[in-house]
Amino acid sequence: MKIRLLTSLLMLLLLIFYCRFSLPVHVTPVHARFTKMINTGEVISSWQGPWSCVVDSSLNVLWEVKTDNESIHDGYWTYSWFDEIQGKENFGDCYFEAQRCDTSDLIRHTNTQGLCNQHNWRLPTPDELQSLIKSPQRPGQAHINNDYFPFIHKGDYWTSANQQQLPQHFTQFNSGALAVNFHAGQQATLPYRNAAFVILVSSLTEANTTSQLSSRVINENTSQKEARK
Amino acid sequence: MNRKMFVSLHLIAMSTVLLNLLTGLRISSLDTPVLMYFDAILISGAVHSMHLISGYVFSVLVLYFIYYQFNNSQLSRNLLNKSQLKKIPHKQGYRALSYHKWVNRLGYIAGLLSVITGLFISFDLMVNTLQPLHFTSALLFLLYLVMHSWIYILQHGKGVLVRLLPSSYTHIAWLKLASIALIACLLYLFNIPVKHSLLVSAIPMDVLIEIDGHANEPQWLTTPSIAINTIGGANFVDGNTQVTIKALSNAQETFFLFTWKDPTQSIEHLPLLKTAQGWKVEEDGFYRFDEQSHYEDKFAVMLSNSCNSGADGTAHLGKTPIKGKPSNWHGKGYHASLDNTVRDLWHWKAVRTNDMYLADDNFIGAPASVQHGQRRYSAGYQADGKESGAYVMNWQWYKANVITPKRLPINYSLANKKVLPWFSSAPYKAELDTLAVGSYLPSVLYRSNRFEGDRADVRARGHWRNGVWTLELVRKKNTLSKHDISLKTGVCMWVSAFDRSQIAHTRHHKAIQLQYSL
């Protein structure tokens, strides 16, 4: 009888231990391609924020992250395509310029600011920008990883490819630049004077590669604690 | 009772009781947090239908046992009365038999009580009163199981298991078991079509029903209503509130009127409090997405072309109820359509959507793909797409301790409002933040006046007065959206009220079926 009693109590204890310690643990996931980075250049875990840039380990570049804080990175600002030589100056809408905005304004301001410790911000190539296209993960969202790239609108985003032949209905503007549309996930050539959105990109130099950035990832435990703070 | 019969009935009793307890306690864990400690052993997933089916099998078994007790003379002869028990020479044997006799009586009472209350609840009858009794009877039955089986094992060791388990397939009364299962299935099939019925009265196109939450149009006075007792919600008196429903329809639109008792008007939504350490979100459960103190009142309506139990099979309870999808933070579960059929969900929110004169048009679909950058995963519960317009939260990034507000009011008199308009505020800058410690800020920012597009299909306005919310709501019968259900005869509806809680809503078992008079 005593052995049976002890055995059953032991089984009860095991059950209690099982209930206590078998609960699933929330582990911060790691994205295969993207990592969040704050403005000072430190990378953070996927559940932390806010972040200013996204490290793209596939292309070895940093992407600008748009905001809704009326700074130069606000996702609502639009720009005409202009590279100081070609294009159309000041035909977009923003608050941070005395006049209206073009792509060179955003590039100049961002490089002056040194976003994420980078000073080589530029317009993405069509291939670079097209690589961000992803089917919407939720209804009504843009064709992009919305959890890493918030405030991206379902509209046209400029690429660096200029002197492109325009479709017939735009022939009076001679040539234009290529844009990627995050509503349909397709490319289109638009006149330089069009007001389109912009997401900038910065090539990582040898002194600042993605592998080096990865080594700066705050370890998971620290980031869990940080997320709670 | 012969051994074959004893073994067969015991087997089916053990399996159904175990299934009933593991599914029933899971359902109860929604509003009994202490049961979450047993999450690892409770069954997860679409447990409502499992509970219903095993409950019916157990009920038939109990009925059969009662029949057997009264009709089988052999059994009657085998039962020992008090005088016979006293004749047993061995003192320990007498005590043991007497003990088990009394324990069995506890089991009979608990079992019978759980069967009777369960049957009533399965038909949505007297749920307010019977649901606590049903839970108590389950706990009593659990106590009985310990006192019965554990003591038997202590007394007789593994010999008990040898006596309980059949030595071969031929030692099972298959025909009896099949009959019990068949009757249980018939009862279940009989239960499925039982629904509440809501008559949708016809009104001409030129009758104006103003969506203002006052319901003072004469048409509301003359149309019939139904009352649904909903249970299990946080903060309501005993967790219950009765929802009264009326419906009107013209050729294009259907109007609904919902009223429910809620003693407190909760129109605070996670307010921001300035402390000596910085701004903080006032909350007591938002970190795990189960806020029950600093939240707004809400009301939800689900619509489906089918009418099954467990919110039409969309309720998947437990911490990790959907295979291959992340665990939830509150341990309660997810809503998702694993059959890939869309259920419509209208979600009225007293702060975030009421001033938009809208309910948030959402849906329950297949479990969504996982977004690595989002800590919260909501499975099939998703919002319809929108063209523009939104409310956004007034923090740059949510943290449990200190946050930085997204925007500050231009005029600090707006700090006491429940919603901060975007264009009456400016981006947060530390140098502009001169509010004193102890000040509050709204956590809800209206980016524009209202949603536009698919998400704005449901117009709604609620009004709280004297402890009662009155909610008027209207939607086109057919929106042509793939995330909406067309309103017509036969469509089933479920309603839930939220009293300052994020997810802890009331619920009811039986669907409400729309019957259009047109």
Side-chain angles (χ1 to χ4, degrees), chain A residues 4 8 22 68 147 228-229, chain B residues 40 150 154-155 373 399 406:
Chain A
R4 286 175 201 154
S8 53
S22 67
D68 63 348
D147 47 341
R228 289 189 70 95
K229 279 179 188 173
Chain B
W150 187 46
L154 286 184
Q155 285 174 331
K399 289 177 187 171
K406 186 171 279 202

Side-chain angles (χ1 to χ4, degrees), chain B residues 26-33 36 39 43-45 47-48 232-234 288-292 315-321 327-335 501-505 507:
Chain B
R26 167 65 74 196
I27 296 168
S28 291
S29 71
L30 290 174
D31 45 20
T32 314
M36 290 291 184
D39 180 85
I43 294 176
S44 295
V47 294
H48 288 87
R288 57 179 189 280
F289 308 110
D290 188 12
E291 178 61 33
Q292 296 186 12
H316 303 274
L317 308 189
K319 200 156 182 63
T320 317
S327 304
N328 53 74
W329 288 82
H330 40 69
K332 292 184 172 178
Y334 292 125
H335 277 290
S501 65
Q502 189 175 5
I503 59 165
H505 59 75
R507 56 192 186 270

